[in-house]
Amino acid sequence: FPDLMKSPQGHVQSVSYKAADGTTIPAILTLPAKLESEPNQIPFIVLPHGGPYARDYLTYDWLSQFLASRGYGVLQMNFRGSEGYGEAFKEAGRQDWSLMRSDVDDGARWLMQQNYADPDKICILGWSFGGYLAAMAASNDAQIYSCAASVNGDYSWEKINIFPESIFWGELDSIKKRRENSPMPYVKSVNIPFWGGHGDIDGLIPYSQFNDYRKKLRRVRDDAEFVTFKNSGHSIEDTENRIVLLESLEAFFEKHL
């Protein structure tokens, strides 16, 4: 991509922080190219990965680079449940999804402790399982985040039947537990600005979930924003919809950060 490489790229580096119980959480920090010194209370986007049994790598990431080009710092954490750090690390997240959420929140707290992030200007953004984490944070962690954005996130786990229970769910292998760990039951608790986007032919997480969440949240917050990516699936791979995604997110973050 020679034309892309002509543009200033955000500075990417490996970092780590301690979770509340002392576990080391590896992460990737991306800083704006125009930043001339160590970050000092700049606006930040916390960007947890999807999967959840996947991971982020120290490589080019188009979404974090876009955000950095707009002046935001970005933190991508490989929370417990991520691959590549041993079975115990991966299994810890599988058995307790609240542990994944707390690992992500501890990353936001670390940004504040290091004086990297403005405590009043941290937003959480996620895609797929990361979008689920963002939707849960909108209901549970308003003391940390100024806003939340979910791309193709899951809102009702009890309606998802595509994953083998023994592999994916761990201790969540019951309808009751899946419901308790879904954003839908907590929609009335959302008290920060929320943005949601979803592909209308998503074959992994049904568009109907997004539509139901949108209807319920709009009864609670009339400032919630929603975007439908037409003729787009879970990965939103076409250029037209990715432009819609980025322009919409840019406007949302500019408004709230």
Side-chain angles (χ1 to χ4, degrees):
F1 306 103
D3 291 337
L4 179 64
M5 299 313 296
K6 293 176 184 177
S7 302
Q9 301 297 302
H11 304 293
V12 184
Q13 57 184 295
S14 293
V15 296
S16 64
Y17 59 89
K18 295 292 186 181
D21 63 1
T23 299
T24 298
I25 306 299
I28 299 167
L29 183 70
T30 302
L31 300 174
K34 295 182 180 180
L35 201 65
E36 296 180 355
S37 60
E38 283 291 304
N40 183 18
Q41 294 201 346
I42 66 173
F44 253 88
I45 310 294
V46 169
L47 183 60
H49 63 73
Y53 312 120
R55 62 172 292 183
D56 281 321
Y57 293 86
L58 191 67
T59 185
Y60 181 82
D61 182 87
W62 63 271
L63 184 52
S64 60
Q65 285 293 335
F66 172 81
L67 296 168
S69 75
R70 268 47 182 178
Y72 303 110
V74 182
L75 185 68
Q76 299 166 271
M77 61 283 294
N78 285 321
F79 46 81
R80 274 171 283 188
S82 301
E83 295 177 333
Y85 302 97
E87 283 300 310
F89 192 91
K90 181 179 177 180
E91 287 294 327
R94 179 177 295 170
Q95 298 302 324
D96 186 357
W97 284 13
S98 65
L99 194 62
M100 299 186 191
R101 300 200 299 268
S102 65
D103 283 353
V104 172
D105 293 345
D106 286 338
R109 295 186 180 98
W110 176 78
L111 290 171
M112 292 185 277
Q113 292 165 359
Q114 298 298 311
N115 215 36
Y116 285 173
D118 183 333
D120 296 322
K121 294 184 178 182
I122 302 176
C123 189
I124 181 170
L125 161 67
W127 196 309
S128 192
F129 188 85
Y132 153 74
L133 293 172
M136 289 296 285
S139 294
N140 299 325
D141 302 302
Q143 73 277 14
I144 300 175
Y145 304 107
S146 299
C147 56
S150 172
V151 184
N152 287 347
D154 188 284
Y155 303 97
S156 298
W157 284 115
E158 72 270 21
K159 297 180 180 180
I160 294 291
N161 297 308
I162 62 174
F163 302 106
E165 282 77 359
S166 61
I167 295 176
F168 187 75
W169 298 112
E171 291 187 354
L172 294 182
D173 191 16
S174 77
I175 294 298
K176 181 176 182 292
K177 288 181 179 179
R178 294 189 199 182
R179 186 177 297 117
E180 290 173 349
N181 281 272
S182 296
M184 194 73 76
Y186 310 108
V187 66
K188 292 183 179 179
S189 300
V190 174
N191 55 10
I192 57 175
F194 183 85
W195 179 99
H198 213 97
D200 61 1
I201 56 171
D202 188 338
L204 188 64
I205 300 175
Y207 180 78
S208 58
Q209 279 199 31
F210 167 75
N211 205 29
D212 289 345
Y213 190 80
R214 172 172 58 184
K215 291 176 181 177
K216 291 183 179 181
L217 183 54
R218 277 188 167 157
R219 297 172 192 155
V220 179
R221 296 190 64 94
D222 57 11
D223 63 344
E225 301 180 30
F226 297 95
V227 177
T228 294
F229 305 113
K230 297 180 180 180
N231 299 313
S232 185
H234 193 67
S235 299
I236 311 179
E237 295 178 336
D238 63 291
T239 300
E240 182 178 351
N241 275 308
R242 284 207 174 180
I243 291 174
V244 171
L245 166 67
L246 295 179
E247 289 182 342
S248 183
L249 284 175
E250 180 179 18
F252 178 74
F253 292 141
E254 184 175 351
K255 184 186 304 182
H256 298 294
L257 295 182

